[in-house]
Amino acid sequence: MSNHPVQTVGEPGNKLKVILAVLAVVAGVVGFYFLSGQSGLVRAGALVAGLVVAVALAWTSTQGREFLGFAKEAVRETKKVVWPTRKEAMQITAIVFAFVLVMAIFLWGIDKLLEVLLYDVILGWKQ
C-alpha cells in the first residue's frame, strides 16, 4: 500500500484571484473607516464597492465558483426544512423554560444540601 500525497492542479491565477478578492474586501472595510468624516452613503458605497469587486474576482476563480455553488446548495437545503408552527414553537419554548426552572431549583437544592453538610456537619461551622 502506497502513501503518496495527492496534489491537485488548478489554474495558476486562482490563488492570486482569491488573494485579490480578500484584499478588495479589506480595502472596502478600510475605506469605510477611513472616510469617517464623509456621509454614511459615501462610506457604505466604499464598503459595497469593495465587496462587489471581491465577488467579481472570486466569481472568476475555481474556488469562488465552488463556494457559490455550495452557498446555492445550502439555500436549497434550507428550503427543504419543515419549520414548526407558532403553536409548536411556543410549546417547545415553554418546555425548555420549565426544564431550566426545574434544573435551577434542583441545583440550588443540591448546593444548599452540600453547604449544610460541609459547613454544619463536617466542619461544625454554624452559619
Side-chain angles (χ1 to χ4, degrees):
M1 182 168 173
S2 162
N3 258 346
H4 294 287
V6 177
Q7 293 181 352
T8 58
V9 178
E11 298 175 26
N14 275 336
K15 287 185 181 179
L16 179 63
K17 290 176 185 176
V18 171
I19 291 170
L20 288 175
V22 170
L23 289 176
V25 170
V26 170
V29 172
V30 167
F32 179 81
Y33 287 107
F34 183 73
L35 298 171
S36 61
Q38 302 294 326
S39 70
L41 189 60
V42 173
R43 295 176 69 201
L47 181 62
V48 169
L51 292 175
V52 166
V53 170
V55 168
L57 285 169
W59 181 263
T60 62
S61 72
T62 304
Q63 292 94 341
R65 285 191 299 272
E66 289 174 359
F67 175 76
L68 290 173
F70 172 76
K72 287 179 185 177
E73 188 65 29
V75 168
R76 191 174 310 129
E77 287 296 321
T78 58
K79 289 180 180 178
K80 294 179 184 179
V81 174
V82 178
W83 298 101
T85 63
R86 179 176 174 84
K87 181 181 177 185
E88 292 170 337
M90 296 299 279
Q91 289 173 343
I92 292 169
T93 304
I95 290 169
V96 169
F97 277 130
F99 179 76
V100 168
L101 180 66
V102 168
M103 285 304 297
I105 293 169
F106 172 75
L107 291 174
W108 174 80
I110 294 295
D111 181 55
K112 288 300 171 186
L113 177 67
L114 290 174
E115 179 183 331
V116 167
L117 285 175
L118 180 66
Y119 290 120
D120 294 346
V121 176
I122 295 174
L123 295 176
W125 298 351
K126 298 287 183 191
Q127 291 189 8

